[in-house]
Amino acid sequence: MPADDVISSAPTRRGRPWRRRRAGAVPVALLLPAVVGLAFLVLPLVGLLVRAPWSGMGSVLGDGTVWPALRLSLITATAATAVSLVLGVPMAWLLARTEFPGRSLLRTLVTVPLVMPPVVGGVALLLVFGRNGLVGRWLDSAFGITLPFTTAGVVVAEAFVAMPFLVLSVEGALRGADSRYEEAAATLGASRFTAFRRVTLPLVAPGIAAGSVLAWARALGEFGATITFAGNFPGTTQTMPLAVYLALQDDPATAIALSLVLLVVSVLVLVGLRGRWTGGPA
């Protein structure tokens, strides 16, 4: 008799033998919502592929506005990720390795851009870095630097919304790393910064890589803060999401083609994570 059909004599439930359920069985009450949720997530992607203008894809992608927007998106997303690395890794170390008053508040503030509507983030950036903003006024008068409606403004907007992804990923990696290696380096005479550079960074390198990819992908898809703080000027601030939005109003076929390009980039990002989120081999 198969093992799955064996009736166990103990334990019993209300005097009746308890039949062992097959391990792989899925309750219908869980299966149906799971299938509906899967369809909800996958069908829009299928619709994008079905309605794509495959026959005219070459002419659409050959348009003079597509590649400048894609090139600008790649450049600004990479620059925003670099800014996030320079500022975010030390911030993650501060949150994970030090004790100080207000650390919980600081972690909350770091998380706020994740839940804040991007348009609100763009308005907040204008109030700080705008020509009459808290910091922007000083930048303009002292150095002649104006960030809004410039390519640098795109980088600032993207870094604002993308950096929390990197900080939280690296902080989680730091909390999971064994701090005894750093303590051993300190007992051997290494300074705290040397221990961080020679010991800690190699330990959390996979977490930094994963956080960087997530931050880069978030920066690449940023729309609300970018259009509010940097505007939508072709060749200067018009990134791919902004180009999709503009094309959707006049030429849906072009908008679908541009969306496909971003979809391909997103898939490549998942491949770059090497199964970290997809369950494949690491």
Side-chain angles (χ1 to χ4, degrees):
M1 181 179 296
D4 291 338
D5 296 330
V6 173
I7 299 177
S8 175
S9 59
T12 60
R13 185 177 300 173
R14 295 182 180 178
R16 297 192 303 269
W18 175 64
R19 183 180 296 274
R20 295 178 182 175
R21 292 185 177 273
R22 188 175 302 172
V26 179
V28 177
L30 297 179
L31 180 61
L32 290 179
V35 172
V36 173
L38 180 62
F40 175 74
L41 295 176
V42 173
L43 283 179
L45 305 180
V46 174
L48 191 63
L49 295 173
V50 171
R51 298 297 297 273
W54 296 107
S55 59
M57 187 69 71
S59 61
V60 170
L61 295 180
D63 186 82
T65 62
V66 174
W67 295 113
L70 178 59
R71 182 173 61 251
L72 181 65
S73 293
L74 296 176
I75 292 174
T76 54
T78 303
T81 304
V83 172
S84 300
L85 279 169
V86 173
L87 303 179
V89 173
M91 191 188 311
W93 179 87
L94 189 69
L95 292 173
R97 286 288 191 264
T98 60
E99 296 283 348
F100 57 90
R103 188 176 65 167
S104 298
L105 176 61
L106 178 59
R107 183 179 291 109
T108 301
L109 294 176
V110 169
T111 311
V112 166
L114 292 177
V115 297
M116 176 188 297
V119 174
V120 177
V123 173
L125 290 173
L126 276 175
L127 295 177
V128 175
F129 296 108
R131 188 165 295 179
N132 295 319
L134 299 176
V135 178
R137 182 187 299 111
W138 173 75
L139 290 175
D140 188 22
S141 61
F143 303 101
I145 297 176
T146 302
L147 292 177
F149 309 108
T150 64
T151 303
V154 176
V155 176
V156 170
E158 291 179 349
F160 177 76
V161 299
M163 191 184 300
F165 287 89
L166 180 104
V167 173
L168 295 180
S169 295
V170 177
E171 184 193 0
L174 284 167
R175 290 184 179 277
D178 195 341
S179 61
R180 290 179 297 179
Y181 293 104
E182 302 171 38
E183 297 170 359
T187 59
L188 294 175
S191 66
R192 201 162 190 184
F193 179 73
T194 301
F196 169 77
R197 181 171 55 89
R198 300 291 297 273
V199 178
T200 308
L201 282 182
L203 283 175
V204 300
I208 294 176
S212 299
V213 173
L214 290 175
W216 187 84
R218 179 64 183 89
L220 186 70
E222 168 51 32
F223 175 82
T226 301
I227 197 171
T228 306
F229 182 66
N232 186 16
F233 301 104
T236 304
T237 64
Q238 187 180 89
T239 58
M240 282 290 284
L242 273 62
V244 171
Y245 174 76
L246 188 64
L248 188 60
Q249 302 178 26
D250 303 321
D251 190 358
T254 300
I256 294 173
L258 297 180
S259 300
L260 279 176
V261 174
L262 288 179
L263 177 60
V264 170
V265 173
S266 301
V267 172
L268 292 177
V269 167
L270 291 177
V271 173
L273 287 171
R274 299 191 335 192
R276 183 176 295 271
W277 310 118
T278 58

